[in-house]
Amino acid sequence: MDDLFAALETSEPARQDLADGAVLLRRRAVPCESDLLEGVRLVSSQSPFRNMVTPGGFSMSVAMTNCGDAGWVTDRRGYRYQGNDPETDKSWPAMPSVFRQLAEEAAAEAGYNGFSPDACLINRYEPGARMSLHQDKDEKDFKNPIVSVSLGLAATFQFGGLKRTNPVAKYVLQHGDVVVWGGPSRLFYHGILTLKDGDHPRTGHVRYNLTFRRAF
Ligand code: MD6
Ligand code: FE
């Protein structure tokens, strides 16, 4: 058994470079998991999760909400950031301080000092939900990295290159894993494969993903 754990240990280092500019910090968010999940509940009690519609007219399988000064939205008019939640017509909920602190610390650990997110997109995946390959390019300045926090059920993350047709690597993102990426890989294509059913002690049948960005 010890050998089995040793083998897992070596194949899953605490820190792993995924590409030039992209770092996976395994389990980095576990120490603040309860505060993060409480934040997700608080935010979604004010701006509920909803399945947004793509410009092409498809309803997304991932349900979303946001907190912070800017929120990412999509509808028939396109993708964009906006200061108000179109469902409530109010500002997005404030970004909880534990969210901001984790994002800034993780960014610094990955080599991005001074990151100050103004947007946190919260994705909720239920079994069967997926996110097809895309680039994050609705932000104003690509010099800022993106910090991504996974909570709950594990998911397979696809990470490619600057072209949609580039080969993709696959990584399993577990509860508490944090990915920071920017620099040369800031515009790399990425996605999440269809979530498998499961039962996580902290979230039940759900995966959450928090992505922190500097939008404006
Ligand atoms: C997800 N994440 O992990 C989807 N985008 O559920 C993203 O699309 C993403 O994790 C930009 C940067 C980090 C990400
Ligand atoms: Fe993305």
Side-chain angles (χ1 to χ4, degrees):
M1 223 28 182
D2 281 353
D3 288 343
L4 176 58
F5 288 127
L8 286 170
E9 200 74 59
T10 46
S11 62
E12 301 215 320
R15 181 190 175 101
Q16 185 177 357
D17 289 332
L18 305 187
D20 201 4
V23 185
L24 168 55
L25 304 171
R26 285 201 174 83
R27 301 286 179 166
R28 178 62 181 76
V30 167
C32 55
E33 58 181 3
S34 298
D35 292 337
L36 294 172
L37 289 167
E38 183 55 36
V40 171
R41 274 186 283 275
L42 182 67
V43 168
S44 60
S45 72
Q46 297 165 35
S47 276
F49 284 104
R50 80 293 305 262
N51 296 90
M52 297 184 196
V53 174
T54 66
F58 296 99
S59 181
M60 297 185 75
S61 60
V62 177
M64 299 178 170
T65 185
N66 292 275
C67 59
D69 291 340
W72 186 86
V73 297
T74 174
D75 57 21
R76 292 304 303 234
R77 284 150 52 211
Y79 306 125
R80 65 193 173 276
Y81 285 94
Q82 60 178 55
N84 274 23
D85 178 350
E87 292 293 318
T88 64
D89 256 345
K90 292 190 273 195
S91 300
W92 297 102
M95 191 183 298
S97 54
V98 58
F99 282 31
R100 171 177 300 283
Q101 187 180 347
L102 173 64
E104 294 182 358
E105 287 178 5
E109 288 163 26
Y112 300 99
N113 273 307
F115 176 56
S116 178
D118 58 7
C120 174
L121 170 65
I122 307 177
N123 294 147
R124 185 186 68 196
Y125 295 73
E126 293 181 350
R130 61 189 288 270
M131 191 169 300
S132 51
L133 277 184
H134 67 278
Q135 294 173 295
D136 286 34
K137 56 179 185 186
D138 301 316
E139 300 74 26
K140 197 170 159 197
D141 186 347
F142 301 141
K143 282 201 282 294
N144 295 120
I146 295 184
V147 175
S148 158
V149 178
S150 294
L151 294 170
L153 292 179
T156 303
F157 176 64
Q158 293 179 297
F159 194 45
L162 281 174
K163 290 190 288 190
R164 187 184 290 279
T165 51
N166 289 152
V168 293
K170 289 179 190 163
Y171 302 93
V172 176
L173 297 183
Q174 309 268 4
H175 176 72
D177 287 354
V178 177
V179 180
V180 182
W181 88 63
S185 51
R186 175 62 180 75
L187 291 173
F188 278 17
Y189 276 88
H190 57 279
I192 294 284
L193 297 183
T194 305
L195 195 79
K196 291 188 201 138
D197 196 9
D199 192 6
H200 190 276
R202 301 309 304 258
T203 66
H205 299 266
V206 167
R207 171 180 186 259
Y208 296 107
N209 174 259
L210 282 46
T211 51
F212 296 90
R213 302 107 187 280
R214 185 82 204 176
F216 294 152

